[in-house]
Amino acid sequence: QVQLVESGGGSVQAGGSLRLSCAASGLTFDDAAMGWFRQAPGKEREGVSCISRGGGTTYYADSVKGRFTISRDNAKKTLYLQMNSLKPEDTAMYYCAAARRPSCGVSYGNALTYSYWGQGTQVTVSS
């Protein structure tokens, strides 16, 4: 059974930083492209970032480029999202997701690309 467990969310002031983690089990982690999504109240789920199986290719939504960094540790089966210079508009529930393929591709921001999802961790940024 595949499990993705996010952690690291919390409340910070604008300009602050958080590091999200996603611990995976039950899948061949280093065969899977991994992504981060977020969903704010009343809004659709948005693709934030994706990283290929080996970490060599990454994608970012324009809204987070230059502020967020996705990374992975395949030995630990853990995905990370370092979030710096946080803004109130970054407030959302953040989800990690695993794809049944090694690369992100142009559809990295499409939720249908991913087969497995975590339960989410809340990030709240105050002004």
Side-chain angles (χ1 to χ4, degrees):
Q1 181 180 356
V2 175
Q3 281 195 316
L4 301 174
V5 181
E6 302 95 336
S7 61
S11 296
V12 296
Q13 290 193 325
S17 298
L18 284 173
R19 188 194 196 202
L20 306 184
S21 298
C22 172
S25 61
L27 79 163
T28 307
F29 184 76
D30 53 6
D31 278 348
M34 298 293 296
W36 285 101
F37 283 72
R38 67 186 180 185
Q39 188 166 19
K43 295 189 176 181
E44 292 188 355
R45 192 167 292 195
E46 173 192 18
V48 174
S49 185
C50 182
I51 187 167
S52 60
R53 61 181 289 190
T57 304
T58 57
Y59 294 83
Y60 296 94
D62 288 342
S63 57
V64 307
K65 275 181 185 175
R67 300 188 299 121
F68 291 11
T69 303
I70 191 171
S71 62
R72 64 191 295 163
D73 185 331
N74 286 347
K76 294 182 178 179
K77 296 188 176 182
T78 303
L79 176 72
Y80 303 100
L81 186 68
Q82 177 67 43
M83 306 187 295
N84 298 328
S85 303
L86 283 161
K87 304 176 180 180
E89 50 263 44
D90 294 319
T91 295
M93 186 71 78
Y94 283 72
Y95 301 89
C96 73
R100 287 181 180 170
R101 67 187 205 189
S103 59
C104 300
V106 296
S107 62
Y108 81 93
N110 186 335
L112 295 177
T113 296
Y114 303 86
S115 300
Y116 307 105
W117 293 84
Q119 293 300 306
T121 185
Q122 177 67 38
V123 171
T124 303
V125 184
S126 58
S127 58

